[in-house]
Amino acid sequence: MAGLILFGPPGAGKGTQAVSLAESFNIPHISTGDLFRAAISGQTPLGLKVQSYLDKGQLVPDQVVIDMVRERLMQSDTSGGWLLDGFPRTIPQAQTLDNLLQEMNQNCDRVINLQVPEQTLITRMLSRGRKDDTEAVIQDRLQVYHRETAPILDFYRDRNYLVDIDGDTTVDVVTERIKTALADLS
Ligand code: ADP
């Protein structure tokens, strides 16, 4: 059983690391960004509601994200653990996650904070070429990260399960660093 949160600015490599991490712990990878993009490409009511936020690099309103994550965490495949990627992204989301986990009788074992300098983030996102990876939208997402998301670090640092990982290197080296930081959980 491992409850894990992958945390970090846009472009830090959360999605890339999440894949191998979820596989090695055999837990579902829950990416709010992926869930929103799937809803948008499927043109579901949720997708239509969130599209303009993603296009502009703004946060989807808390209640919309929270309802979606709650529903996802309530599915049976999370009973042995889960890996959250892209959530929580605001203090209210972090507080709601606390309550939700309590309801589910589960807890978060570790928050992995991927640290990458801003210039590397920008270079990575520009080369990725996702629809929201234009220069102007990237700047907006970085601003939103500093204003809304980074303050969560203090919220988790108080609890001693936050681990900082230097993510400014190759994918494989970052994977090894994360595995080392989680060695006591497997
Ligand atoms: P990245 O971390 O590279 O910015 P994501 O795929 O995690 O990319 O997120 C893409 C977009 O989805 C965000 O810019 C935002 O609009 C929306 N989003 C994802 N997760 C959340 C969240 N927890 N709260 C609000 N909006 C979110």
Side-chain angles (χ1 to χ4, degrees):
M1 164 75 217
L4 305 174
I5 296 174
L6 254 181
F7 190 89
K14 301 185 294 287
T16 304
Q17 295 300 328
V19 174
S20 54
L21 201 53
E23 197 178 319
S24 68
F25 278 89
N26 198 19
I27 51 180
H29 168 207
I30 302 173
S31 159
T32 45
D34 287 351
L35 291 170
F36 287 138
R37 281 184 290 273
I40 290 169
S41 66
Q43 296 185 303
T44 68
L46 174 68
L48 296 175
K49 200 183 316 186
V50 302
Q51 173 147 31
S52 64
Y53 296 99
L54 271 86
D55 285 349
K56 288 186 234 152
Q58 288 169 1
L59 293 182
V60 171
D62 282 338
Q63 202 51 52
V64 176
V65 191
I66 287 165
D67 288 346
M68 179 180 77
V69 171
R70 176 189 299 271
E71 198 181 305
R72 180 63 189 86
L73 281 174
M74 290 296 176
Q75 288 172 25
S76 58
D77 64 342
T78 61
S79 60
W82 35 268
L83 171 63
L84 284 171
D85 161 8
F87 183 93
R89 243 176 163 102
T90 64
I91 296 269
Q93 289 179 19
Q95 286 163 338
T96 307
L97 179 62
D98 268 3
N99 298 337
L100 187 57
L101 293 178
Q102 221 166 26
E103 251 174 66
M104 293 168 66
N105 235 335
Q106 291 204 4
N107 52 55
C108 172
D109 293 297
R110 211 133 301 164
V111 176
I112 303 142
N113 178 32
L114 280 182
Q115 297 178 308
V116 176
E118 196 129 315
Q119 197 46 56
T120 309
L121 298 174
I122 295 170
T123 310
R124 283 185 189 174
M125 284 189 272
L126 285 175
S127 67
R128 188 167 66 177
R130 216 168 62 193
K131 194 177 167 221
D132 59 342
D133 284 337
T134 61
E135 244 171 290
V137 176
I138 288 171
Q139 287 302 340
D140 288 345
R141 281 155 61 209
L142 287 169
Q143 256 180 30
V144 168
Y145 172 78
H146 290 299
R147 196 177 59 230
E148 309 271 348
T149 307
I152 300 182
L153 286 172
D154 292 328
F155 180 90
Y156 285 122
R157 216 175 281 282
D158 288 345
R159 312 191 178 184
N160 288 326
Y161 51 51
L162 181 73
V163 286
D164 295 318
I165 302 282
D166 176 1
D168 192 15
T169 175
T170 63
V171 171
D172 290 349
V173 172
V174 178
T175 304
E176 275 317 303
R177 287 179 182 164
I178 295 176
K179 282 195 176 149
T180 306
L182 302 181
D184 60 307
L185 296 178
S186 47

